[in-house]
Amino acid sequence: MEDYIVSARKYRPSTFESVIGQKALTTTLKNAIATGKLAQAYLFCGPRGVGKTTCARIFAKTINCLNLTPEGEACNECESCKAFNEQRSFNIHELDAASNNSVDDIRQLVEQVRIPPQIGKYKVYIIDEVHMLSPSAFNAFLKTLEEPPRHAIFILATTEKQKILPTILSRCQIYDFSRIRVEDIVEHLAHVAQKEGIAFEPEALNVIAQKADGGMRDALSIFDQMVSFSRGNITYKSVIENLNVLDYEYYFKLTDYLLQGDVPNSLLLLNDVLNKGFDASNFINGLGSHFRDLLVSKDVATVGLLEVGASIREQYKTQAQRAPLPFLYKTMKLCSDCSLNYRNARNKRFLIECTLIQLAQLTQPDADVPDGGRGPKPAIKPIFNHTQVTPAATAQSVAPQQQPVTPTVSVAQQTPAAPATSANQPVPHTAPSALQQDKPVTNAGKPKVVANISELGVSIRKKANDETKPQEQTQLVRFFDNRPLTQEAVVESWKRFASQLPHDQVALKNRMPSMPVVLQANDQVEVTVENDVSAKQLNEMLINIRSFMQSDLHNSDLSLKVSVKEVELSVQSLSRFEQYRKMVEKNPWLQHLQDRLGLELN
């Protein structure tokens, strides 16, 4: 049985021309060799699997070639090229810095540099993963790297350039390798499949290329894995099944549901995805990428940014025509916010479901959201179709139909010609609220009046703004029985008002229960605060607090007063002389001792 070699090794480039996706760098290296302008040190940096070590080996082989081709490539026929191809060349040394990162390893390398090459002009030292060297090893390498012998060339390769000392970087020519494009990876995989006689679907190779994330070595490894799984017939279905990748159809179908405002089917599709074992974070990230692809598909100028197969590209173009631009802007923003909040969310599925609901709300005709890509308002509109019960219908079902009566607020507002109510005739009144007294009360033979807390506040503010006589302003009708007040009842009512404050006043809501509330004479309640800021906050809502407590305690004579606590002045510090005077006043013998000894206080 023939020995199996993985595709990443079998199809490893051997010439500059066969390097995939690094055309600019390979051209620069070929020109440097052709003109003889070679540096003493090079640094190849970039992501994994993009050809750093491969280019270093091709470069080392080419500069020692005795018969370069007109294209600037190695001839593969001279003794130097044959020794390199048969892995017996003494001119090329490779060192793995991940396992040889000590000072002693670098010293051995420096000693080998002194020996000139036997065949060719240069000895090339390739140090892979150079960022793994210790600081002491870097320092031991500095002098040799800056002024090596004429026959020595160093090629450093790393995936993390930021970890290398600046003194090392300044001594090297730096070449930044970029990620390989999806189109280039697909083309190379198709070439390998044809060489190996493997059947494939273009969409399947495209999924492999996207999964590789710009690395050719990763793409070839996944390719070999799929060949083993599919037994030489790589299909789109087998790839997404083996690599646990979500099918494009899920995102196309979900987008159709969202455009239709179909929340139930959107949630069912999410449930289907999660039941198949897919990660919810990958799902929401993939959905955001799908909306991005729809956005770039709407314009001919940006459709080249779409990295998918030909058949799926047409699906994107078709769906992009149905998706408005404002919808795509807002969906991308919502998916991005959901992805950012996913890690900190306790109920992660609930977060994604809420996001899907908001996405489905964006296409509603009455959606009150700003355009231009900004996020929607946090208002959630009804999802399912059902019969809604209006407040009026609810009120009719709770209380019998009664004729509304406008409540009388003051004596001055009474109409003198109003007919008197007979004792036998029932007086119509409004249904009592939760804050009203159970029984209406009369005042000087006037009609019975029941007012809720909002009507009471409106009447008080209206009376304060009306330009009426002082005696008329004080003639308010009593709305309650004026039950006697107690200190405990006042404190509990104060706390009840604090508990119903909104969330934007949470600071005041937390401070109010600890404020001293004292019931004084004539039903006056005094509240003491620490500073003027708290006093200002309470005074701004004093009318609301008084109205609430009057209704809660059934006492319309209750009044509120806010006072600021007096701050005691701090004791001033005394100088040493003043302290001594105080001590002398308590013990006169200290002065006698000072006079006897002739002491002076400095």
Side-chain angles (χ1 to χ4, degrees), residues 246-282:
L246 266 176
D247 190 359
Y248 288 107
E249 292 300 325
Y250 281 102
Y251 295 123
F252 284 115
K253 188 182 300 183
L254 179 59
T255 303
D256 289 336
Y257 290 152
L258 297 179
L259 288 172
Q260 299 169 8
D262 192 348
V263 175
N265 280 328
S266 300
L267 298 181
L268 290 175
L269 187 143
L270 171 64
N271 183 69
D272 186 25
V273 169
L274 297 180
N275 287 340
K276 290 185 177 180
F278 292 102
D279 184 62
S281 177
N282 294 336

Side-chain angles (χ1 to χ4, degrees), residues 164-184:
I164 300 178
L165 297 179
T167 50
I168 297 291
L169 297 177
S170 63
R171 290 165 168 80
C172 302
Q173 284 189 8
I174 302 176
Y175 289 78
D176 290 313
F177 285 69
S178 59
R179 295 185 182 275
I180 304 175
R181 297 188 309 162
V182 173
E183 293 83 356
D184 295 336

Side-chain angles (χ1 to χ4, degrees), residues 295-311:
L295 179 65
V296 301
S297 299
K298 292 186 71 69
D299 195 340
V300 179
T302 58
V303 73
L305 301 176
L306 198 60
E307 298 179 342
V308 294
S311 60

